[in-house]
Amino acid sequence: MSAQPTIECVQGDIAQQPDMDAVVNAANADLTIGGGVAGALHRAAGPGLEEECRPMAPIRPGQAVISGAHNLPNRHVIHCLGPVYGVDEPADELLASCYREALRLAEDKGLSSIAFPSLSTGAFGYPMPEATRIALDTVIQASRGSHSLRHIRFVLFSEEAVRVHQEILGSLQEP
Ligand code: AR6
């Protein structure tokens, strides 16, 4: 049986989502610790995460790879390299590709839940409203007819980011 998974947007820390099978990392090309989301996930996972990732690096913008979760309370981490806004082009396509590839990897592993941060909207400078529209539109389309995924969560740092996500999600889900 396949159905549209539930999509929700919450305020929180991507490193503290114990009920999710996978969490998505806003990675750098070398899959090293970095700041923001990558810093939070690598710190919580411990040094084994960087070690496991080393042979998979470097990755290209739009690409995703999957690893174990080490000391994180999840089964897997899916690492996506989002586009640097104004540098990696076409930015919208590369950002959409991150979300599609992450969902494909989660499906391949038969996972039922996945939590995303807002890829590229921190150090990589993608304006939040544009990035949010691409993220939600891509996830809605790509998860339609999903076999294993039941629950997709966007974990946002700020109240403003939650508001933007909820408003755009509402407009995209209108019949
Ligand atoms: N949980 C949820 N969201 C967060 C968290 C967190 N713990 N921390 C930050 N955010 P960023 P990028 C938000 O910079 O733009 C890294 O150094 C943040 O407010 O983590 O894809 C890597 O090593 C923003 O809205 O990712 C790369 O070099 C969003 O998550 C580079 O930064 C993404 O911010 C990746 O840049």
Side-chain angles (χ1 to χ4, degrees):
M1 207 197 75
S2 65
Q4 174 82 57
T6 302
I7 299 175
E8 67 168 348
C9 307
V10 304
Q11 193 173 359
D13 180 351
I14 192 75
Q16 293 182 39
Q17 305 297 319
D19 57 331
M20 294 279 112
D21 287 340
V23 288
V24 174
N25 182 18
N28 53 55
D30 295 330
L31 303 174
T32 53
I33 181 162
V37 166
L41 287 175
H42 275 274
R43 269 194 307 276
L49 181 61
E50 223 178 52
E51 214 168 287
E52 183 187 351
C53 288
R54 201 166 296 131
M56 295 188 273
I59 63 169
R60 300 177 310 279
Q63 196 185 349
V65 294
I66 190 164
S67 72
H70 299 263
N71 296 333
L72 281 159
N74 313 97
R75 288 167 63 190
H76 293 281
V77 179
I78 297 177
H79 309 260
C80 294
L81 180 60
V84 177
Y85 193 71
V87 175
D88 298 315
E89 297 290 350
D92 54 349
E93 250 317 301
L94 293 170
L95 187 60
S97 167
C98 286
Y99 287 95
R100 268 197 304 271
E101 289 296 296
L103 291 173
R104 185 181 60 76
L105 290 171
E107 279 274 327
D108 285 352
K109 292 275 183 205
L111 306 185
S112 63
S113 54
I114 181 170
F116 286 99
S118 176
L119 296 169
S120 280
T121 62
F124 285 177
Y126 216 120
M128 178 71 71
E130 281 97 313
T132 304
R133 185 165 290 280
I134 294 163
L136 289 168
D137 195 35
T138 306
V139 165
I140 291 170
Q141 304 292 339
S143 65
R144 205 164 268 158
S146 162
H147 291 285
S148 67
L149 283 169
R150 293 283 169 271
H151 191 173
I152 299 172
R153 177 180 295 160
F154 283 82
V155 180
L156 294 325
F157 231 23
S158 70
E159 219 170 284
E160 172 62 9
V162 177
R163 193 192 61 72
V164 169
H165 278 70
Q166 272 164 352
E167 192 177 304
I168 294 175
L169 183 60
S171 73
L172 292 172
Q173 285 182 326
E174 267 165 22

